Amino acid sequence: MIVLFGKPGAGKGTQAKLLVDEKQFVLVGAGELLRQVGQANKDLAEMLRAGKLVGGDVLFPLIATYLERIGHQRIILDGFPRNRDQADWLKQQLEKNPPERIDLIILNISDEEVYNRLSRRGRADDTPTAIQARLKIYQEDVSQAIDLLGESAQVHYVDGAGSIQDVYARVLRVLGEEKT
């Protein structure tokens, strides 16, 4: 199992897609799941636009469904967990059926790069206010999730700057996977 972390715009989704396409991992993208559910739920859509963290009452059942349906040996979690409570929930789920290996990959980019990348992405929830809120959440909450999960995982800090292929090569290197 791979758990991807990184500031907004760090390239988590892009790297996850490459691992899915080239290495047959299965992606569970929390942000994408929430955006899909948000299409039918105005309150959730507004929370996402504001850059707020979605509660476990909404997120846990979505993630649990995927873990139960597809297992988690070659799964990638992108955008989850985002805080200590979510990490604690995930850790409990993994203790019930532990994967052979858990890799935390933290894609590092500067705050300046976050704003540059997200301003080019053009998603409705990439406003400067929402970006600032998500950066604050990352700095305050996500680091706690990394610390908790890092107790039972291999933790890899990967430079997220540079071309998509350069970052992908770094990700493969820390996973011990060869490029095909």
Side-chain angles (χ1 to χ4, degrees):
M1 170 183 275
I2 296 172
V3 184
L4 283 171
F5 289 102
K7 294 175 184 176
K12 298 177 299 290
T14 300
Q15 295 304 313
K17 183 174 181 342
L18 288 168
L19 288 166
V20 167
D21 291 348
E22 295 184 14
K23 298 295 180 181
Q24 291 70 52
F25 280 88
V26 177
L27 175 63
V28 177
E32 186 58 34
L33 287 173
L34 290 170
R35 281 188 287 281
Q36 288 174 7
V37 173
Q39 292 175 356
N41 182 322
K42 289 183 181 181
D43 291 336
L44 178 58
E46 183 54 38
M47 285 181 70
L48 295 173
R49 272 193 293 279
K52 294 182 180 174
L53 192 63
V54 175
D57 57 326
V58 174
L59 197 52
F60 294 164
L62 293 172
I63 301 294
T65 298
Y66 272 83
L67 290 177
E68 289 168 13
R69 190 171 67 199
I70 59 179
H72 54 260
Q73 292 301 326
R74 288 200 52 92
I75 195 169
I76 300 171
L77 292 178
D78 171 16
F80 181 85
R82 298 299 279 283
N83 61 32
R84 187 169 180 83
D85 289 340
Q86 291 178 1
D88 188 50
W89 178 87
L90 178 61
K91 191 171 184 178
Q92 290 175 24
Q93 300 303 305
L94 297 177
E95 286 170 355
K96 294 176 188 175
N97 185 16
E100 290 177 23
R101 175 177 164 171
I102 302 171
D103 288 282
L104 305 187
I105 297 178
I106 300 98
L107 297 174
N108 287 323
I109 62 171
S110 68
D111 288 357
E112 181 181 345
E113 184 66 11
V114 169
Y115 284 98
N116 289 338
R117 289 182 181 188
L118 296 187
S119 66
R120 292 189 306 257
R121 189 163 73 175
R123 262 187 3 212
D125 59 343
D126 285 338
T127 65
T129 302
I131 293 168
Q132 184 177 13
R134 294 199 320 259
L135 279 171
K136 184 176 181 191
I137 289 168
Y138 184 81
Q139 292 163 350
E140 294 175 359
D141 297 337
V142 176
S143 61
Q144 293 179 25
I146 292 169
D147 290 344
L148 181 63
L149 289 177
E151 295 171 0
S152 55
Q154 296 181 40
V155 181
H156 313 281
Y157 290 88
V158 175
D159 182 0
S163 75
I164 291 169
Q165 288 303 318
D166 287 347
V167 175
Y168 184 55
R170 291 181 205 126
V171 168
L172 291 178
R173 192 171 17 235
V174 300
L175 292 174
E177 299 266 346
E178 294 196 26
K179 192 163 181 170
T180 55

